[in-house]
Every structure is written in structure tokens, then in C-alpha cells.
Amino acid sequence: MGASAPRARVTARVSSGALKWPPMTDTASALPFSTSRRGAVHRWSRTLIPTMRDAPADAELPSHIFLTRAGYIRKVGAGVYDYLPLAKRVLTKIETIIREELDAAGACEMLVPHIVPIELYAGTKRDIDYGDLLMRFTDRHGREAALGPTHEEIVTEMLKGSVNSYKQLPLNVYQIQTKFRDEFRPRAGLLRGREFIMKDAYSFHLTLEGEGGLNDTYDAMYTAYVNTFRRCRLDFSVVEAEAGPIGGSASHEFMVNCETGEDTIMVCPESGYAANVEKCEIGERAYAFDEGPVADLKTNHTPAMPGIELVAEHLGTTPDGMLKTIVMQPAGEVNADGNGGPRWVLAVVRGDHEVNEGKVRDAVGFAVEMADEKAARDAGFAIGYVSPRAATMIEGCILVIDPDASGLRADWATGSDKADHHDTGFNWTRDFAGELPASGSAGPDKQVQTGSVKVADIRNAISGDPSPRAAGSSLEARRGIEVGHIFKLGTKYSDAFEFSVLDAQQQRQPVIMGCYGIGVSRTMAACVEMSHDENGIIWPAPVAPYHALISLVKPEDEASQQACEQIARELSERGVDVLVDDRKERPGVKFKDADLIGIPVRVTIGPKTLEKGGAEVKHRREDGFGELVTIDDVAERVSVRLRDA
RNA sequence: CGGGGUGUAGCGCAGCUUGGUUAGCGCGCUUGACUGGGGGUCAAGAGGUCGGGAGUUCGAAUCUCCCCACCCCGACCA
């Protein structure tokens, strides 16, 4: 603002009543910086908190319902929300915690554009990997671009232009900004939006190990994340995870332990091992192929039955009595068609289990993907009705069997390798023409092979599976909300962008990268999921929009105003953020709203409390009136209550 | 992307089957009065392109067609 600009009025005149606002201390300092943080003091009547008695019909989860009802967020479109003043304050607090922890871990903040020219994806093919999830647009000149879902490309490109010596490494940069993903199905309010606030960090290294290596920074970031989520008072688990479409080698997810979460994680209560379902290993399981037949092989007509449930019912069995045979093929460039390599991979699991592509890849030693349906049909597979026998009838097949789908059961129901038919009474020993391995057991690091038949762990873990880390212990499934994810990326992006530096021996070395994300808006929602009751939100103090709420039962009462002003000033000086409910509403309305918006400590001032000698102080979790405290002692009392909030 | 569903006031809904006064109800909002510690009472008000377009009809929120938006389940997914 220029010197000639009219001076803004600091104190707006209050329409009635004589509250001076904001309460000024005599140190209205001229310093351009603050020596100690003074808490904000805001009036409810002068901010925007549109509370609602009813939640919108589409809100189902507590975080969605309460954030909407309490006036934090408002829906603009599918998966797109306004952040109103209360929400913005929470987001800022979460961001501040993140900044403090990341800065302490040696990262530095920057900002890159939301708009990513599509050519930047040329090297990494992420425009294809991300597919429709990428929010694309074309500008007036016909140039294609995307709104960034993350910014590996643009950051790598930026660093490439400014870093060319090993002496400039390691480097760890981060930003906090809005990200975009065109979700097929946004849902659950802030938990899965198409536009969301995310902190993303990228680190660059010459080496993996040693000082300044990726592992060092990865560990520092791991610690920073633990600190961050602890400071948000979240109950969370750190789980091992697959790197996913972002590519790379190792990663951990930070999952808030919450039943309403969308993600399933597997934990071993004995060893503490935790992993997401896709990544989770399963302990050793027995398999066998020596059970003799107990029933005749019979072919049944099963037309027009989508889903294994229906087929099982029709055959008089259940999904766990069926074999599911999935036809896969070598993925991408690994496709060995034409040079004698395997052309198909048949993965066999029990009907109630799910094939895990990553595990199949590990079992056969090359990447696989679902077979192209047309090509598979042309090769002779009766897609939808395939049995393990197809492996012996069609050229170039590798058969991989999950232990639970082995001959532990003497008669299986399975496809008949012809359309609209399923067999019952299938017995591995009698009905499979190929050679089968001897009985034994297979675990995560162990697979058994005979010719082109393997037995290996190739399915997603489920609750009750043996733990891979503690013999005799079982895995348990829990739900979680993913709020953080850290990856060791390796050289995927630096290779693609030819980002390399000269090392001390004047050798050109590709830069090794890590990347680290935190869902900021999702973290806010996770806090609400974790901490609420039937009346509304209960914020943990470190992320609460205000620490204390002063409810004026009778706002026009002068004595109440004076007490409020004193308390607000003293709290502010202590660094406590204060919201004063100065609305001319009935007490019942104010208390209901107070519970809804969830400020941790409430101070109630009214003629009656003053008559009794002070104000009432209570924590959001407590019912009723709270403790009576003299006005002079309120600030201290509130501070104490906040300390353990 | 498959299946199902919904669009009527800021929010929650009724009306549509069987077309026909001025499109209703609750909450919220405005004004006034009485009230005054857990969404109070009474009175008077404001607020609507009935998602959009086309059609049928003397007449459409209502029937037909097309489009759009949104939601749920599934599949997918940091």
C-alpha cells in the first residue's frame, strides 16, 4: 500500500454495544516482524461461519457432514469445495506444522505452476499412466496442458536447468498447493476430491547410501512425517506400500487408523509389520497335489452368469470351492512373443481370492498385465471359463498357482475351457495333464517350480492369513485414511529428463530422487473423522481454527463485554487464538453451534456467571456448565486446559 | 466406465402415478413482540428460470424425447 493511501480504520464501529475491536495492547509495535506470536481475536459476527442444522443429503461421513454443517466447507461441484474462513485457518495450521517439520528436516519451500505443458510428460509417459485421472485442457492456441496431479516432471526440469554439480546436492524442495486429479468418482467430501491441497516434496542425490544420500533424506522425511502427524494428534500407522504408477522402488504410506477410511491395510499384531493390501506379503502356506479324486469330473451348463458368486451357487458350491484362472501376458516391452519366451501367464487362485499383479510379476520374473481379451480368445482361451488345464493345451503358457488353490482340496469347481460351461469335481492329480511340484510350503521369498508350473504367493492378503514376520501369528485387516506417502524414486525421472551431474571424478551420474506427499486437506478431514461426537467436531488444539471460544450469553451486557475484552486480550498475549461469539442469539443456539464447530476450550460469560464471580471454562469434551473461574484467572486456566487438549 | 437413483427457495423435503386456481411444508432468513444457560413462542414478511432444451396439449413441476448436473453401489485409484 502506498504512503498516500488512506489509512485503514483499525477499529470498525460496532453497530450497538461498545466493544472495541480488536482489543489493542499498548505495544502495537512498529517492528516489521513479531517477536512473539500474538493470538488472533475474531468476532463471530464479523467472520463467515454459516452453520446448518441439516447436512446436505449427499454427506455421509462425519468429516463431510460436520465440516459442511459447521460452515467450514461448501460444495461447488463434484469433488470441488470452497474452504470458508474456519477451514482456511485449520489448513494454515496444518501447513505451518508441515513447514516447521520439513524445514527442520532440511527441505526448502518453493512454488511451481499448476499448469504443466503436456510435452513435459513425454519422457515419463505419465500422461498415459495417469490416463483420464490427469486433468487436461487445451488453451486458445491449441496447446495441450494438464493441471498437475503432482510435479515430478516440472521440478526435475527446473532442477536440471540449475544444478549441474554434485556439490549442489543433496537438495530437498517442497511446495504446498492445490493439486488436481480427475477422479472417476469423487466422494466422501474432502477425503477424495478432484481438487485438493497437497504438500509435495522432491529430493535429489548423487548416491543412495551415505551422507547426503537418498536413504538419509528418506529417513529424515520419515521422521518429519511422524512428527507432523503426531503434532496433528492423529492415530496413524506407517505401512509398506507399492510405489504405484509413480514408479520407483520403496515406499511407505502414513495411514490414519480409522474405520471410515477407504484403504485397507494389513497388520501383524505380533511383529508390528504393516503393509497395504497390494504390497502385503503372506507367511508360509502349505500346498499339496497328492489328494486323490473324490468325485467324477462333470461339465455343467452355466450360461449368462456374471460373477463367481452366481456360478458357485448354480454349481452347489461356494466361491472358496472354485478355482479362478486369470489369463495374463508379459507387459510392455518385456513381451517375448516371437523369440521363444513365454506368451501367457495363467494365475490360479481360489475363487474368493484376488490375484495380485505385483506378486505374479515377482513369481515369474517379469512384469505382467491382464491379457488383451481379443488376443487371448484368438489364442484359444475361453475367457471367463478358463481352467488350469488351458496351460497344457495352449502354447507358451506359464502356470502360477497360489498355495490355497492347490490340491489341498480334492475336488474343485472350475471353468471348462469352453464358453458357458463349468466343471465340478476337478482334481489336480487326475485332471491336470502337466507335471506338478511335490507338496511343500511356499512363502513370500520362496516359490516352487516344475517346468512351467510354479507355486507361489500371488494373491492379495486377507484377514487371518499367516503373518510373514511372526510364525503362528495372523494378519489383521484394518481401515485407514492415507494422509502421507513417501517414495524412493530412483532415477526414473532423472533418466527421462537426462538430469545428471558431474561427480568428484568428473563422471556424469544420474541424479537419484525421492518424492514425498502429504494430503493437507485430507489431513483436515482425517482429524474430524478421528475426533468428533454426535454434536460436532472436537479439534485437537494444535490444528483448531481457534483455541478458545468465548460465548457471550448476553452480548449487549456491558459487564460481560468488559470481562470478554480483558480475557480476549490476555489470551491473545499468550498466543491463544480466540473467537468471540458476540451474536445476538439465544444461548441454546450458541452452545449448539459451539459444539458443532469444535473449538477445544469454551469460556462462557454472562450476567449470571459474573454474579457468581467470574466466567465458566470447559473443554469441548465435557458436558454441562464447566468450572467457574474468576475473570483474572481465566486466561491461565484456559492455557492449562489447552496444554493437555 | 457398468448398474441404480435424484434434480422443486440457502438446507431438508412433499406435489408428478391420474396435466387444470396464485407450486406447498419444515428449518434457516427479515421485522416486531414476548422470551433469555442447550437450536423457545406468537404474529407479519421476503425468497422459485420447478436442472436445461425441444415436443404433445386449450393448458405441463406433472406426459414424451434429447441434453446437463449431482448422488449411491461396483470397477479403478496418491
Side-chain angles (χ1 to χ4, degrees), chain A residues 10 68 70 77 99 119 155 163 188 218 242 264 303 308 310 354 356 388 402 436 524 528 534 547 570 599:
Chain A
V10 174
T68 304
R99 286 193 173 95
E119 302 85 66
V155 171
V163 171
Y218 190 86
E242 276 284 2
T264 303
I308 206 148
L310 274 176
E354 283 172 24
N356 179 309
D402 186 79
L436 289 163
M524 172 166 79
V528 178
E534 68 278 10
H547 301 107
E570 290 176 7
I599 310 299

Side-chain angles (χ1 to χ4, degrees), chain A residues 458-502:
Chain A
I458 54 165
R459 66 166 172 87
N460 287 341
I462 56 173
S463 195
D465 280 341
S467 164
R469 296 289 184 274
S473 186
S474 309
L475 292 166
E476 291 174 10
R478 304 237 178 98
R479 302 290 282 179
I481 301 168
E482 183 188 351
V483 288
H485 202 156
I486 56 180
F487 302 90
K488 291 179 185 175
L489 280 179
T491 59
K492 170 171 176 174
Y493 293 92
S494 41
D495 285 346
F497 287 91
E498 296 176 328
F499 177 27
S500 58
V501 295
L502 286 180

Side-chain angles (χ1 to χ4, degrees), chain A residues 46 80 116 167 174 190 214 279 316 343 355 485 626-627:
Chain A
R46 289 281 77 90
V80 180
V116 184
K167 293 175 186 171
Y174 74 94
L190 256 33
L214 170 63
K279 170 79 177 178
R343 181 152 162 58
V355 172
H485 202 156
E627 53 176 331

